[in-house]
């Protein structure tokens, strides 16, 4: 099925395809880099699950894991590759040492419509250009990384968890309850940090990103930890280039990669401790490895693709939705096999891919279930639904394979109706995406979010002069969001590109397109319909960064390639389209491209840690400080911290007594000095900073920075509960 050659010339060879034995070159660097990162990630996650994480072991085992993954991807004589006698496409055995010839009519190579033979020789030049460009971009981005520490949203929690792991073996963060007494008003949770039980806390979400950050913080310091985000972003760009290059060719891949690199959503996540950057790396890189495995199949290469795709499930809770495409690929690999020998090889390849993905998905699930139990409870229905979809897709594909291997029904149907299926698939894609994009013309979507969501949206609406309605989800604008950052010409090209990809997959049997197309369309339809995120910009666009945006750009350049190859008179249109794909996001981003957000928060925190000594303890006396600084104090200062909002002197005296019994001195911190109850309030805060960040907007792209101030009062608590303010720190 999905194969334009005759059954005796199936794309699934009787053994590992001869093309798999070609020498690995620098052309394969993007895929090998992804495989290395995926191999590195597995030992770290196992150490976290075992409460045995140390930076040293994470690095040592990570290097071994990376080397093993690269060997699997790049060397067909690796341990999981079966060395059996190969045959030519006509079934005649190949003498040992001889390479069977590749058929000239290989269905995945379609020069007539702009689909190049994968990794043509000319792609070497574009790969070198892309590598140099990514290196230059990374160097620039490193100088613009944020220092987002003050806890408000997800990136702060990932950074705090990574900094905690740098010095601790477990993410079971102790409350140190005995140091704060028995006052019922004592609180230990903060943004992104919740109760596991009364004596320990959890950091929300999956923990692969903190596992990456911890060794950097331990060996190179906190500043390097924040700069690591830019390095991860550079690797993600290289992975994305590798994918598009294998689908559309090197030059068009360079166009798509440039558009992604200069766009505000990508800069936003790659300069901060967002897990979306790692997810983008592993999903697009895993797709690239999978296309490579389709073109040059070895069992080890399918394992490497599974490692990369599965690593995404260890980085983000919602990656399992993207992995629903893997059982579909599993079924396709089996359906493409004709003879019994081919089926045995296909079972080995497909089983290696699916088995590896499922193992890593289980690790990601256990990470949420055991290390972040409260977060699991909050998102239980979504987590279980995504795994149910994964199981359902696998069940459907197994039934399809059994049916086709028994009766040949699906293969016959496809051969007889493949052009009709291709046209129907392309048409359906266009109709659905156009319908979703037209929603602003005929609807305004509302939901029933929680109170915090409503209040936040209303605050933005009031601050930007919009009609106040906190129940609006703004989901009708999700397609328009992409146009805000990339331009309507790019979206129109992407629509054409998606239709072309669907047609090539269904009508021409280009099975190598299945995984990128299924993953891109499924996530796009899901998040276009309901983004499931607070709708302020650029925050909401982070949901689209791992899959929706990159596959949209890939589809757009596929359309450019088709236009260029179709007719001479369309070449100026294609050239103009390429310019718009690159220039529009760059122009939109330009006012914000030099912004370094949230600096100098690190200097502020370092001053706080110097103010509170190692034998101290901290009580936050207002909601702002309690919500935003408790885990910061624990992670960066390695000092116990709790909150007690607007305490009386008697309450502070009781906490101070408990703290003294543990051999520690109690310090009080607040952003509202009135809550400290000082006899003589300090005129100036102990610590303060002035910073910049992107503003929160609902119906526009940020084009100017938002300035803000943080002021923290620190006081020493006496035995009677009185607080003496500490002087200002320069």
């Amino acid at each position: 099925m999905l194969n334009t050659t005759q059954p005796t010339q199936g794309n699934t060879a009787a053994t590992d395809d001869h093309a798999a034995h070609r020498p690995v070159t620098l052309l394969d660097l993007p895929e090998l880099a992804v495989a290395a990162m995926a191999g590195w990630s597995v030992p770290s996650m196992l150490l976290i699950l075992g409460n045995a994480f140390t930076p040293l072991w994470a690095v040592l085992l990570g290097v071994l894991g990376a080397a093993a993954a690269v060997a699997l991807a790049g060397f067909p004589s690796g341990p999981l590759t079966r060395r059996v006698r190969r045959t030519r496409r006509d079934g005649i055995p190949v003498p040992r040492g001889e390479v069977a010839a590749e058929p000239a009519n290989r269905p995945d190579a379609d020069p007539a419509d702009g689909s190049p033979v994968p990794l043509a020789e000319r792609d070497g030049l574009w790969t070198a250009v892309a590598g140099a460009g990514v290196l230059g971009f990374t160097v620039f981005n490193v100088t613009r990384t944020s220092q987002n520490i003050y806890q408000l949203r997800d990136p702060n929690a990932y950074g705090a968890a990574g900094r905690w792991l740098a010095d601790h073996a477990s993410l079971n963060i102790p409350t140190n309850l005995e140091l704060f007494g028995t006052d019922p008003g004592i609180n230990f949770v903060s943004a992104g940090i919740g109760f596991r039980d009364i004596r320990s806390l959890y950091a929300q979400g999956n923990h692969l990103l903190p596992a990456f950050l911890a060794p950097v913080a331990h060996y190179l310091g906190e500043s390097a930890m924040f700069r690591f985000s830019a390095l991860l972003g550079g690797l993600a760009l290289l992975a994305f280039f590798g994918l598009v290059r294998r689908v559309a060719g090197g030059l068009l891949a360079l166009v798509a990669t440039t558009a992604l690199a200069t766009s505000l959503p990508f800069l936003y996540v790659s300069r901060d401790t967002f897990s979306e950057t790692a997810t983008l790396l592993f999903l697009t890189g895993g797709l690239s490895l999978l296309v490579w495995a389709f073109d040059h199949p070895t069992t080890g290469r399918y394992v490497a693709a599974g490692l990369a795709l599965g690593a995404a499930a260890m980085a983000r809770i919602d990656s399992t939705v993207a992995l629903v495409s893997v059982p579909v690929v599993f079924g396709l690999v089996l359906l493409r096999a004709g003879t019994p020998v081919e089926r045995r090889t296909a079972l080995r390849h497909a089983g290696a891919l699916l088995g590896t993905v499922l193992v890593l998905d289980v690790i990601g699930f256990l990470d949420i279930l055991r290390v972040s139990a409260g977060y699991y409870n909050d998102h239980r229905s979504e987590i279980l639904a995504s795994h149910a979809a994964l199981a359902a897709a696998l069940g459907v594909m197994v039934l399809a394979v059994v049916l086709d291997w028994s009766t040949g029904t699906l293969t016959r149907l496809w051969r007889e109706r493949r052009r009709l299926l291709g046209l129907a698939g392309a048409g359906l894609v266009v109709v659905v995406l156009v319908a979703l994009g037209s929603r602003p013309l005929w609807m305004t979507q509302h939901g029933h979010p929680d109170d915090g969501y409503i209040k936040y949206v209303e605050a933005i609406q009031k601050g930007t002069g919009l009609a106040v309605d906190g129940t609006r989800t703004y989901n009708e604008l999700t397609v328009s969001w992409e146009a805000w950052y990339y331009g309507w010409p790019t979206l129109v090209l992407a629509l054409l590109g998606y239709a072309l990809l669907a047609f090539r997959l269904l009508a021409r049997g280009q099975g190598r397109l299945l995984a990128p197309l299924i993953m891109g369309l499924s996530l796009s339809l899901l998040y276009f319909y309901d983004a499931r995120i607070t709708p302020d910009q650029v925050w909401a666009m982070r949901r689209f960064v791992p899959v929706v945006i990159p596959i949209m750009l890939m589809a757009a350049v596929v359309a450019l390639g088709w236009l260029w190859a179709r007719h001479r008179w369309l070449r100026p249109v294609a050239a103009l389209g390429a310019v718009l794909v690159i220039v529009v996001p760059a122009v939109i981003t330009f006012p914000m491209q030099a912004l370094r957000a949230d600096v100098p928060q690190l200097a502020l925190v370092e001053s706080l840690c110097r103010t509170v000594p190692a034998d101290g303890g901290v009580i936050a006396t207002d909601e702002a400080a309690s919500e935003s600084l408790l885990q910061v104090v624990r992670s960066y200062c390695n000092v116990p911290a709790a909150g007690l909002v607007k305490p009386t002197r008697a309450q502070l005296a009781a906490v101070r007594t408990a703290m003294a019994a543990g051999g520690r001195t109690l310090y009080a911190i607040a952003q509202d000095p009135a809550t400290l109850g000082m006899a003589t309030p300090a005129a100036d805060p102990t610590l303060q900073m002035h910073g910049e960040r992107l503003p929160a907007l609902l119906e526009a792209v940020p084009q100017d920075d938002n300035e803000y101030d943080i002021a923290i009062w620190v006081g020493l608590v006496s035995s009677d509960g009185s607080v003496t303010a500490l002087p200002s720190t320069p």
Side-chain angles (χ1 to χ4, degrees):
M1 189 177 181
L2 295 184
N3 187 355
T4 59
T5 58
Q6 297 299 317
T8 57
Q9 293 178 314
N11 278 355
T12 302
T15 64
D16 287 344
D17 190 280
H18 75 277
H21 297 268
R22 71 167 177 81
V24 173
T25 68
L26 288 177
L27 277 173
D28 304 310
L29 179 61
E31 289 78 14
L32 296 179
V34 174
M37 291 298 293
W40 180 292
S41 68
V42 177
S44 292
M45 291 303 296
L46 293 176
L47 289 171
I48 287 176
L49 287 176
N51 295 321
F53 186 93
T54 65
L56 177 61
W57 279 112
V59 170
L60 293 178
L61 295 178
V63 169
L64 293 176
V70 168
L72 288 171
F75 301 99
S77 59
L80 294 186
T81 300
R82 241 173 98 182
R83 303 290 296 195
V84 294
R85 197 173 185 191
R86 294 169 285 130
T87 62
R88 290 193 180 96
R89 296 289 180 173
D90 57 7
I92 300 174
V94 179
R96 186 177 300 276
E98 182 180 331
V99 175
E102 183 76 4
N105 63 339
R106 185 164 183 253
D108 294 344
D110 196 354
D113 67 0
S115 301
V117 175
L119 296 195
E121 290 184 7
R122 64 182 178 274
D123 288 331
L125 171 63
W126 303 123
T127 301
V129 172
V134 167
L135 179 60
F137 167 84
T138 303
V139 171
F140 172 76
N141 227 21
V142 160
T143 66
R144 295 293 183 268
T145 49
S146 75
Q147 294 178 353
N148 194 355
I149 304 175
Y150 185 83
Q151 286 192 271
L152 294 173
R153 283 180 149 179
D154 294 7
N156 321 99
Y158 291 120
R163 183 60 189 86
W164 176 267
L165 273 178
D167 298 323
H168 301 84
S170 171
L171 276 171
N172 296 334
I173 303 167
T175 60
N176 293 297
L177 179 65
E178 67 282 356
L179 294 176
F180 293 95
T182 59
D183 193 299
I186 292 286
N187 175 54
F188 296 94
V189 303
S190 56
I193 307 296
F195 272 119
R196 178 188 309 279
D197 53 54
I198 193 61
R199 293 195 174 275
S200 64
L201 305 164
Y202 70 85
Q204 72 172 35
N206 286 106
H207 300 105
L208 180 55
L209 179 59
F212 284 154
L213 297 175
V216 180
H218 182 81
Y219 291 113
L220 301 177
E222 289 93 347
S223 179
M225 182 183 80
F226 289 104
R227 296 180 190 275
F228 177 79
S229 299
L231 176 61
L232 207 58
L235 290 172
L237 286 177
L238 192 63
F240 175 61
F241 172 83
L243 170 63
V244 183
R245 181 195 54 182
R246 291 188 181 273
V247 172
L251 178 57
L252 291 174
L254 197 60
V255 171
T257 305
T258 303
L260 180 62
T262 59
S263 66
L264 191 56
F266 180 79
L267 290 179
Y268 178 61
V269 301
S270 65
R271 292 178 177 180
D272 206 339
T273 50
F274 280 103
S275 60
E276 281 81 3
T277 311
T279 310
L280 168 64
L281 165 67
F282 289 124
L283 288 179
T284 58
L287 290 174
S288 185
L289 281 161
L290 192 52
V291 174
W292 189 15
F294 260 81
D295 294 339
H296 310 295
T298 70
T299 306
R301 202 156 287 154
Y302 276 102
V303 171
L307 279 172
L309 292 169
M314 302 189 299
R316 274 198 66 79
I317 189 175
D318 55 3
S319 295
T320 301
V321 180
L323 298 182
V324 172
S325 60
V326 173
V328 183
V329 175
F330 169 84
L332 174 66
V333 173
L334 299 181
L335 288 169
R336 284 155 53 101
T339 68
V341 176
E342 287 177 342
R343 288 177 179 178
R344 286 196 295 272
T345 301
L347 280 169
R348 187 169 69 252
H349 289 168
L353 170 68
L354 180 66
T356 307
V357 166
L358 292 180
V359 168
L360 268 64
D361 183 68
V362 168
I363 293 175
F365 178 80
L366 291 176
D367 176 32
I368 289 287
L369 182 65
R370 296 180 56 188
V371 185
S372 190
Y375 195 69
Y376 170 79
N377 291 333
D378 292 340
H379 297 272
R380 183 174 181 272
S381 60
E382 298 171 19
I383 296 171
L384 295 182
S386 62
H387 283 84
L390 187 67
L394 179 58
V396 168
M397 295 310 299
V398 169
L399 289 176
V401 170
V402 171
L403 173 65
D404 193 66
W405 282 10
S406 302
T407 66
T409 301
L410 297 178
T411 299
R412 284 197 304 272
L413 175 64
W414 175 77
R415 285 177 180 166
E416 294 169 0
R417 299 285 187 268
R418 64 188 187 187
R419 183 171 179 81
L420 179 61
L421 289 171
L423 291 172
L428 181 62
V429 168
V430 171
V431 169
V432 172
L433 290 178
V434 168
L436 288 169
S438 69
R439 286 181 300 170
L441 300 176
W442 47 274
M443 74 176 298
T444 299
Q445 196 162 345
H446 294 78
H448 301 283
D450 59 46
D451 290 340
Y453 176 104
I454 291 174
K455 292 177 181 178
Y456 183 66
V457 171
E458 287 179 346
I460 299 174
Q461 290 167 335
K462 292 175 183 177
T464 54
L466 299 175
V468 177
D469 181 0
T471 66
R472 279 197 66 182
T473 65
Y474 292 86
N475 278 327
E476 75 277 4
L477 294 175
T478 49
V479 176
S480 299
W481 289 349
E482 285 201 322
W484 293 356
Y485 295 94
Y486 299 93
W488 283 108
T490 298
L491 264 66
V492 171
L493 285 169
L495 184 65
L496 174 59
Y498 266 128
L500 288 168
L501 290 170
F503 182 80
R504 291 175 185 175
L505 171 66
L506 295 171
R508 295 179 177 172
Q510 296 182 18
R512 63 203 298 275
L513 302 177
L514 179 67
L517 185 62
I518 292 294
M519 189 181 295
L521 283 177
S522 61
L523 269 294
S524 295
L525 295 178
L526 176 64
Y527 291 140
F528 284 160
Y529 177 73
D530 183 359
R532 304 180 183 188
I533 193 169
T534 311
D536 55 305
Q537 300 297 323
V538 180
W539 174 263
M541 288 304 295
R542 72 187 183 93
R543 182 75 81 226
F544 295 71
V545 169
V547 174
V548 178
I549 289 172
I551 305 301
M552 178 269 293
L553 290 172
M554 185 189 80
V557 298
V558 165
L560 290 175
W562 180 83
L563 289 171
W564 183 269
R566 192 67 179 174
H567 292 292
R568 283 179 177 268
W569 64 270
L570 285 175
R571 290 187 174 183
V573 177
L576 176 61
V579 171
L580 291 175
V581 168
I582 292 174
V583 170
V584 170
V587 170
I588 292 171
T589 302
F590 184 77
M592 297 285 93
Q593 54 84 27
L595 174 67
R596 191 175 184 196
D598 300 311
V599 176
Q601 283 193 20
L602 180 57
L604 178 77
V605 171
E606 289 173 342
S607 295
L608 177 60
C609 294
R610 288 192 296 268
T611 302
V612 179
D615 64 348
V618 167
I619 192 80
T621 61
D622 63 8
E623 291 184 1
S626 182
E627 181 75 3
S628 303
L629 292 173
L630 293 186
Q631 190 56 42
V632 171
V633 171
R634 298 187 197 106
S635 292
Y636 291 84
C637 307
N638 202 21
V639 167
L644 185 59
V645 176
K646 297 181 180 179
T648 64
R649 283 196 175 186
Q651 287 176 306
L652 285 178
V655 175
R656 197 261 188 193
T657 299
M659 190 69 63
R664 290 181 174 271
T665 303
L666 181 62
Y667 291 81
I669 64 173
Q671 291 189 253
D672 177 5
T675 63
L676 291 172
M678 293 181 289
T680 305
D684 297 314
T686 309
L687 308 165
Q688 57 185 320
M689 64 154 282
H690 178 81
E692 299 174 334
R693 59 163 65 109
L694 289 171
L697 303 176
L698 293 170
E699 295 186 359
V701 176
Q703 294 290 282
D704 197 6
D705 60 83
N706 181 38
E707 298 184 2
Y708 69 97
D709 295 284
I710 297 176
I712 302 171
W713 280 262
V714 183
L716 182 64
V717 181
S718 302
S719 58
D720 62 354
S722 61
V723 178
T724 302
L726 299 182
S728 297
T729 300

